[in-house]
Amino acid sequence: MKPRKLHSIGLSSSTGFLFDSIALRLPIRSHNPYRTFSSTPSTFNWLAPKRGHKSKSRKGRPRVATGGSTRGTTVVWGDYGLRMRDHDRRVSAAQLATGAEAIKKRLRGEKYKLYTRICASIGVYTSGNEVRMGKGKGSFDYWASRVAVSKIIFELKGDLHEQIVRDAFRLAGNKMPGLYEFVKKGDSPVMGITKVEERMTLDDVRQPGSTLAEKVDSSRLSEIAL
């Protein structure tokens, strides 16, 4: 390509050739009257919060729903779920990632979708060895999650056999601390540690009175009769 003559503005031919090469590399921008934006949300990292560890979080304790709340105890998006059965469990982000990886390895080659119902947003701080008391909370160590009793951790959806999903959740439960149970969509919700069956109401669970007592007595009488 021949360089353009730019002697009229006091530039040499080599400089003009340099400008032409730079102009060829620059993209051509057209005026767009509409604002370009993306409706796709950013990738969500469920193993670390977006805010970072600016303020030190307290240790705390997982909640136990005793006022009638059954939120987070049933399968919502998937067909099967893995539910916690223990109290006061703080599961680290590394343990949650190991459990999810165990599920993915077991279901390799299958068509499915894995949902996570919790996130590791609690910072854990530790001090070094042989540190005296009163020297502060310590430095940041890892992220963890407070998992309440009867809380759904993983959900799975796909054209899979139930026994295969049970095996995948069993492997995930063995990798993580605590006791877990396998649940399906449509199973009864749980308030605390009490499963709310179809014949029971929340008022019966909150105020165990004559209704539950009669059921227990009738079951005992039937056992004695047998």
Side-chain angles (χ1 to χ4, degrees):
M1 182 179 64
K2 295 183 179 181
R4 290 183 294 177
K5 294 183 179 181
L6 300 176
H7 299 287
S8 59
I9 59 176
L11 297 177
S12 62
S13 59
S14 61
T15 309
F17 181 77
L18 178 62
F19 286 168
D20 288 345
S21 61
I22 295 176
L24 290 174
R25 296 176 186 176
L26 294 177
I28 300 175
R29 297 182 180 180
S30 60
H31 177 68
N32 187 4
Y34 301 101
R35 181 183 177 184
T36 58
F37 65 94
S38 176
S39 60
T40 305
S42 59
T43 56
F44 174 71
N45 185 11
W46 65 289
L47 297 177
K50 186 178 180 180
R51 56 178 172 81
H53 51 89
K54 296 181 180 179
S55 60
K56 296 184 179 181
S57 56
R58 302 297 180 263
K59 186 176 182 180
R61 292 290 185 273
R63 65 177 182 86
V64 178
T66 58
S69 175
T70 59
R71 183 179 180 181
T73 61
T74 56
V75 179
V76 178
W77 300 313
D79 300 326
Y80 308 99
L82 185 67
R83 185 161 60 188
M84 168 70 76
R85 287 198 302 142
D86 268 358
H87 295 269
D88 294 342
R89 282 294 178 180
R90 189 175 65 182
V91 187
S92 66
Q95 293 168 343
L96 292 172
T98 304
E101 189 65 24
I103 296 175
K104 293 177 182 179
K105 284 184 178 180
R106 179 61 181 85
L107 302 179
R108 181 175 297 172
E110 304 288 345
K111 294 183 179 180
Y112 67 94
K113 191 169 185 180
L114 182 65
Y115 299 93
T116 56
R117 297 286 300 273
I118 62 175
C119 61
S121 59
I122 306 299
V124 179
Y125 299 82
T126 56
S127 301
N129 296 330
E130 300 180 1
V131 176
R132 293 178 179 269
M133 296 180 62
K135 299 300 181 181
K137 190 176 179 66
S139 58
F140 175 79
D141 192 6
Y142 59 90
W143 293 107
S145 175
R146 297 194 195 108
V147 185
V149 61
S150 303
K151 174 73 174 179
I152 298 289
I153 298 180
F154 295 117
E155 290 188 15
L156 198 62
K157 184 177 182 180
D159 190 10
L160 301 172
H161 195 274
E162 180 180 340
Q163 193 61 34
I164 298 177
V165 181
R166 283 179 179 269
D167 191 28
F169 282 158
R170 178 187 61 82
L171 295 174
N174 293 338
K175 297 291 184 179
M176 298 186 297
L179 300 176
Y180 301 90
E181 63 179 348
F182 176 83
V183 293
K184 296 187 292 185
K185 190 167 187 176
D187 286 356
S188 302
V190 182
M191 192 190 74
I193 58 175
T194 305
K195 292 185 178 181
V196 183
E197 303 292 344
E198 294 182 357
R199 64 179 183 276
M200 298 169 57
T201 61
L202 291 178
D203 295 333
D204 296 336
V205 180
R206 291 174 187 171
Q207 300 176 0
S210 58
T211 305
L212 293 179
E214 292 175 359
K215 293 178 182 178
V216 172
D217 293 338
S218 62
S219 62
R220 288 180 178 176
L221 289 175
S222 60
E223 291 177 0
I224 294 173
L226 293 175

